Amino acid sequence: MKTSLEVCITEGIHQAVVNTVDRKMPEQVALYELADLFKIFGDSTRISILWALSESEMCVCDLCALLKMKQPAISHQLKNLKQSRIVKARREGKIIYYSLDDDHIRRLLDLGMQHVNELQMSMTH
Amino acid sequence: MKTSLEVCITEGIHQAVVNTVDRKMPEQVALYELADLFKIFGDSTRISILWALSESEMCVCDLCALLKMKQPAISHQLKNLKQSRIVKARREGKIIYYSLDDDHIRRLLDLGMQHVNELQMSMTH
DNA sequence: TGTACATATGACAATATGTTCATACGTACA
DNA sequence: TGTACGTATGAACATATTGTCATATGTACA
C-alpha cells in the first residue's frame, strides 16, 4: 500500500534540487518561529493596534476608542503582542501605556503595506 | 447599562492622541489586506514552502519530499499562496513548477527572519 | 478602608484553519 | 483509447483562534 508521499519520493522528479534546497533550509525551529511572528501580524485587530502604536504610544482605553472595540478584546490581543515581544508596556498610575518594542516592527509593517499597495496598483491595470 | 466601551470613551484619557492617530490610520480595507498578507505567511507549512521556493522553483512532488508531507496538504497550501499572488505556477507536461511571484516576498521573509534571529540573540543574554 | 477607574484574566461560544482521505482532472505515451 | 503519473479538489474531522461576558487585580484618592 503506497502512500502518495512514497509515490512522490520514488518517482521524484528533481532529487538533486530537493537535496540542494534541503541543505539551504533554516532549522525547523526557526521556520516555526518565523511563522509565529507573521501569525501575530496576521489579524486585522492586531495589525490595527500595531499601526496605531507605530504613530504614538497609547493606553488600552485609547485603543478601544480608536478601534471601536471592547476593552477585553483589546487587552487579549495586547497580551499576545506582549508575549511575542512586539509590544511593550509602561505603567503610569492606573494607566498602562503600550508602544512598539522594536523598530523592526515598523519596517515589517511598511514593507508589507508596500506590497499590498503595489498589488492594488497592478489590479487596476 | 454602560458597556466598557462607553466607559472608555467617556473617561478617555487622550482624546487628542486618538484623533491624531485616527487621521493617520490607513483605510480599514488596507489594514485587512495587510493582515491577510501576513496571515498567509503565518503558517509553518506555507513559510517552509516559500523559503524553499525562494531557493529554487519546485514541483509539488519535490515539495512533498522536502517537507515530508502528503501531496494534498501541499497542494492546498499552494492554492492559497497562488490565490494571494505570492506564488506562480508554470506547467511543463504533467509537472507544474511553482516559484515566488515577486521579490517583495523574499524581502519580507528575510526581514522577518532577521527579527527572529535578533530576538534569539537577545534571549541568550 | 472603601470606592472608582484602568486593565487583566478565565471560561465559553462561534468561527476559521489545516490536514486527511477519497476521488477527479489533465497530460503523456503505449 | 487505455493506463499511469502528477496535481487539484471537496468533504469531514480536529484543532486553533477571536471576541464576549463576568469577574478579578491593581492603583489612586477621599
Side-chain angles (χ1 to χ4, degrees):
Chain A
M1 183 161 50
K2 304 167 84 178
T3 69
S4 47
L5 178 58
E6 283 158 13
V7 169
C8 269
I9 284 177
T10 52
E11 306 284 337
I13 307 302
H14 289 118
Q15 191 61 49
V17 172
V18 172
N19 291 339
T20 306
V21 172
D22 191 34
R23 269 182 247 111
K24 292 191 180 172
M25 289 293 278
E27 310 238 349
Q28 281 223 350
V29 190
L31 289 170
Y32 266 84
E33 286 174 8
L34 186 54
D36 283 343
L37 172 67
F38 285 125
K39 194 176 303 183
I40 282 285
F41 285 75
D43 172 84
S44 58
T45 299
R46 285 190 297 261
I47 273 285
S48 300
I49 291 177
L50 290 177
W51 202 281
L53 295 184
S54 80
E55 297 292 347
S56 165
E57 80 171 359
M58 286 190 160
C59 70
V60 179
C61 265
D62 291 345
L63 288 167
C64 291
L66 177 67
L67 305 184
K68 298 181 177 43
M69 292 183 66
K70 307 231 172 107
Q71 175 265 318
I74 300 290
S75 276
H76 279 308
Q77 299 301 3
L78 284 171
K79 185 180 184 181
N80 289 333
L81 291 167
K82 202 166 55 176
Q83 281 181 335
S84 306
R85 305 227 266 153
I86 288 175
V87 138
K88 66 185 176 217
R90 167 177 82 80
R91 170 158 239 147
E92 196 168 296
K94 287 182 292 189
I95 300 171
I96 300 183
Y97 293 96
Y98 283 90
S99 57
L100 297 190
D101 191 355
D102 183 315
D103 215 60
H104 278 173
I105 308 307
R106 228 176 296 262
R107 282 200 282 156
L108 274 168
L109 289 176
D110 283 340
L111 194 51
M113 189 57 96
Q114 197 178 319
H115 182 256
V116 166
N117 287 337
E118 294 186 16
L119 268 192
Q120 205 62 40
M121 299 278 284
S122 68
M123 300 282 277
T124 61
H125 289 335
Chain B
M1 186 160 49
K2 305 167 82 177
T3 69
S4 46
L5 179 59
E6 283 158 14
V7 170
C8 268
I9 285 177
T10 51
E11 307 284 337
I13 308 301
H14 290 119
Q15 191 60 50
V17 172
V18 173
N19 291 339
T20 305
V21 172
D22 191 35
R23 269 183 248 110
K24 293 191 180 172
M25 289 293 278
E27 310 238 348
Q28 280 225 349
V29 190
L31 289 171
Y32 266 84
E33 286 174 8
L34 186 53
D36 283 344
L37 172 66
F38 285 125
K39 196 175 302 184
I40 283 284
F41 285 75
D43 172 85
S44 57
T45 299
R46 285 190 297 263
I47 274 285
S48 300
I49 292 177
L50 291 177
W51 202 281
L53 295 183
S54 81
E55 297 293 347
S56 166
E57 81 172 358
M58 286 191 163
C59 70
V60 179
C61 266
D62 292 344
L63 288 167
C64 291
L66 178 67
L67 305 184
K68 300 180 175 44
M69 291 183 66
K70 307 231 171 108
Q71 176 265 318
I74 300 292
S75 275
H76 279 306
Q77 298 302 3
L78 284 171
K79 184 180 184 181
N80 289 332
L81 290 167
K82 201 166 56 177
Q83 282 181 334
S84 305
R85 304 228 265 152
I86 288 176
V87 138
K88 67 186 176 213
R90 166 177 83 80
R91 167 159 241 147
E92 195 168 298
K94 287 181 292 189
I95 300 172
I96 300 182
Y97 293 96
Y98 283 90
S99 57
L100 297 190
D101 191 355
D102 183 315
D103 214 60
H104 277 174
I105 308 307
R106 229 176 296 261
R107 282 200 282 156
L108 275 169
L109 289 176
D110 283 340
L111 194 51
M113 190 57 97
Q114 199 178 319
H115 182 259
V116 166
N117 287 338
E118 293 186 17
L119 267 192
Q120 205 63 40
M121 299 278 284
S122 68
M123 300 282 277
T124 61
H125 289 337

